[in-house]
Amino acid sequence: MKVLFLGNLWPEPVSSAAGTRIMQLIQAFQNMNAEVHFASAAGKTPLSEDLSKIKVAAQIIQLNNSSFDTYIRDLKPKIVVFDKFVIEEQFGWRVKEQCPDALRILETIDLHGLRKGREAALKAGESFSAGYLHNDFAKRELASIYRCDLTLVISEFEMEVLKEFFKIPEQQLFYLPFLVEPISDEIISNWKSFKERKHFVTIGNFRHEPNWLSVRYLKTKIWPLIRKQLPDAAMRVYGSYPAEKHTQLHNPKENFYILGRAENAHEVIEDARVLLAPLVTGAGLKGKLLDAMQCGTPAVTTKVGAEGMHGNLEFNGNVTDDFSDFADAAVSLYKDPEAWSKAQQNGVEIVNKRFQQSYWLRVFHSKITELLKHLEQNRQSNFTGAMLWHQSLQASKFMSKWIEEKNK
């Protein structure tokens, strides 16, 4: 069975949770004995994963070019995964025309309509409300969901938004969180102790706007409050692709350090005593918080940060949207070994009960097998998707053909 991933970017697991997620999905299909291919029109960077090392065939493709039609027609994939709705908009109609029997899967990684709605509310100086979900990103994203046979959703909160607010039929959605190995007693025994750790840490790709906003709030609103109580502690900020506006926040006199990309994210997180993530926008699951749990590092975050992470279980630290309370919670965790140890144990429970790879792989494989057996029947029940194929995507198709002719 051939599986083709169409990527907006080449996966960079060392720089983003999105890259890690794609690598987990690739592994999930390889565990089904699939032959995996990855194609993208984006340029590769020094941080792009070398896919040949995991036996994934990589192919550079072009936008608005019929050469892709030849490529996918010759490849004949059984499954095509779009890693973002804009990629489905660009290539979905070509996949449908050349490989009509291929199962089309959309990976959301996070709901862009939700993220953009939160950004719009913040810009307007208002609390986020359902009205902000009525944005163009959400409309495009939902249309893509309907055109695909299955959409992977990483967060339970976003599952509820799609089902309850947008009324997407449940059979078109599949909840699939991060897929990680359980935390064993042996792993725990090798973690650094409370006394061996010091300072605070946060991590995240600077190109991702929610991460940048988080760092700004840390610098201007939260860190001054923490420093008053812990003058000897340092705030260490790691992240790929820092620009000048990011490095300008670097201030050793205030023990606030912008340190660029971490060679090993887990090492720098385990060195720290507490991870801070004051996220006010964003969506999906937060990779930095999962990393913290895997490293035995308690965390303080916001409701947006904790969203979808811990379910009914206790969080591995504190959750608050008030910056003063945030700073106090950070100081309390930093100074109290008992509260710190309890938060660490909570993180272990969350990982082992909610993100265990072996369980979710079985559920995922079962879903894919079922869909492949009943693909036409499922498509017959998706009249909205058929309607969108008939109408709206024709514009994208003929615009792409016009661009190709113009480029000639």
Side-chain angles (χ1 to χ4, degrees), residues 27-257:
Q27 184 181 357
F29 282 111
Q30 287 181 326
N31 286 346
M32 295 177 70
N33 296 317
E35 176 186 315
V36 179
H37 297 250
F38 194 101
S40 178
K44 293 185 179 181
T45 75
L47 302 183
S48 299
E49 185 78 3
D50 183 355
L51 296 175
S52 64
K53 290 183 177 179
I54 56 170
K55 298 182 180 179
V56 172
Q59 177 68 39
I60 297 173
I61 53 179
Q62 296 182 46
L63 299 173
N64 304 307
N65 195 300
S66 56
S67 60
F68 176 81
D69 300 345
T70 304
Y71 163 69
I72 195 169
R73 187 169 58 244
D74 292 343
L75 185 64
K76 297 183 179 65
K78 188 72 173 175
I79 299 172
V80 176
V81 181
F82 307 98
D83 79 347
K84 204 173 185 179
F85 76 88
V86 294
I87 297 301
E88 190 278 333
E89 289 178 331
Q90 180 66 231
F91 293 102
W93 65 272
R94 293 186 184 274
V95 172
K96 185 175 184 294
E97 285 192 349
Q98 303 302 323
C99 301
D101 296 328
L103 174 65
R104 298 185 297 272
I105 298 176
L106 175 65
E107 159 60 11
T108 56
I109 191 60
D110 63 40
L111 285 185
H112 292 65
L114 175 60
R115 175 152 51 88
K116 293 297 181 180
R118 283 173 169 158
E119 289 174 6
L122 182 67
K123 188 175 182 180
E126 298 179 358
S127 298
F128 176 75
S129 62
Y132 280 101
L133 290 172
H134 290 273
N135 60 68
D136 289 345
F137 281 90
K139 294 168 187 174
R140 290 169 58 192
E141 194 167 32
L142 263 62
S144 182
I145 288 172
Y146 273 113
R147 287 191 298 264
C148 289
D149 300 306
L150 186 68
T151 293
L152 304 181
V153 184
I154 200 170
S155 164
E156 289 172 324
F157 176 82
E158 294 178 7
M159 281 288 287
E160 290 304 306
V161 170
L162 289 170
K163 290 190 298 183
E164 302 301 325
F165 183 80
F166 290 117
K167 307 300 181 185
I168 302 291
E170 189 169 0
Q171 66 266 24
Q172 289 182 239
L173 307 171
F174 186 75
Y175 168 62
L176 188 68
F178 284 128
L179 312 170
V180 298
E181 295 287 347
I183 299 173
S184 65
D185 291 340
E186 182 180 359
I187 291 173
I188 295 171
S189 68
N190 288 321
W191 281 341
K192 290 184 177 180
S193 68
F194 176 86
K195 289 184 178 180
E196 290 175 304
R197 301 173 187 237
K198 58 183 179 178
H199 305 312
F200 295 89
V201 70
T202 193
I203 193 165
N205 189 328
F206 278 107
R207 287 181 178 175
H208 189 53
E209 186 66 14
N211 289 335
W212 164 228
L213 288 174
S214 171
V215 173
R216 281 174 53 192
Y217 283 121
L218 263 178
K219 179 67 165 63
T220 60
K221 304 290 186 182
I222 298 170
W223 186 243
L225 300 176
I226 294 176
R227 272 199 86 214
K228 287 180 180 179
Q229 301 181 66
L230 297 170
D232 295 329
M235 183 70 235
R236 293 173 173 170
V237 181
Y238 294 90
S240 300
Y241 302 112
E244 184 178 355
K245 69 176 182 179
H246 307 131
T247 56
Q248 284 177 348
L249 298 185
H250 181 76
N251 191 330
K253 290 182 179 179
E254 296 177 359
N255 285 348
F256 195 95
Y257 300 90

Side-chain angles (χ1 to χ4, degrees), residues 284-339:
L285 295 181
K286 312 308 181 292
K288 61 176 68 63
L289 293 177
L290 179 64
D291 288 339
M293 295 177 197
Q294 291 179 294
C295 296
T297 306
V300 184
T301 190
T302 57
K303 291 178 182 177
V304 169
E307 188 176 86
M309 292 297 300
H310 60 108
N312 295 323
L313 302 174
E314 287 188 58
F315 187 67
N316 66 312
N318 298 85
V319 179
T320 177
D321 287 338
D322 182 89
F323 289 145
S324 179
D325 291 344
F326 193 107
D328 288 342
V331 171
S332 179
L333 267 179
Y334 195 87
K335 295 170 66 176
D336 186 343
E338 289 188 13

